[in-house]
Amino acid sequence: MKVMQRGIMKILPGKMAEAMELEQKHMATASRVLGISPKCYRPLSGDFMNTIIYESEWDSLATFEAHPEKMMAEPEMQALFPKLEAVTESYVAEFYTPMP
């Protein structure tokens, strides 16, 4: 069963440029290590101006559940994750399945 993950990151005030740069590196690492093609978005209007949203598709929940171990085994991600945490105010993950 395919699963779509949406990550919603609220970024600390004044940290959006840094967060976008870090998230681009995160997406590149995910693409290389996991073989997925995540998409990243930034709102153009509304109350979400300090927000980054990304979406990733997974073949199954089991595939998704295995990804943190693979990602954190990468030295690049080990260095990147604390930097992302330092600019992120909050994070919410949502999961969706295709409608039949």
Side-chain angles (χ1 to χ4, degrees):
M1 169 180 62
K2 283 225 177 244
V3 175
M4 191 268 284
Q5 172 200 11
R6 175 182 285 161
I8 304 166
M9 301 167 50
K10 184 155 173 76
I11 305 304
L12 292 168
K15 298 293 184 178
M16 191 61 165
E18 182 179 355
M20 287 190 309
E21 181 179 322
L22 292 168
E23 191 57 24
Q24 286 177 338
K25 291 177 182 177
H26 174 225
M27 294 292 110
T29 302
S31 185
R32 178 177 53 81
V33 172
L34 303 172
I36 62 172
S37 299
K39 296 178 177 125
C40 206
Y41 303 92
R42 178 180 178 192
L44 293 174
S45 65
D47 294 334
F48 306 103
M49 293 306 291
N50 283 340
T51 303
I52 294 174
I53 298 171
Y54 69 86
E55 295 179 349
S56 302
E57 288 191 12
W58 304 90
D59 289 331
S60 67
L61 275 176
T63 305
F64 167 77
E65 289 171 346
H67 98 276
E69 188 175 327
K70 288 181 182 178
M71 286 292 282
M72 291 312 290
E74 289 292 312
E76 181 181 352
M77 196 59 205
Q78 292 171 11
L80 186 62
F81 192 69
K83 293 175 185 177
L84 272 170
E85 282 186 318
V87 299
T88 303
E89 183 176 311
S90 64
Y91 171 81
V92 174
E94 300 174 345
F95 298 90
Y96 302 88
T97 58
M99 291 178 58

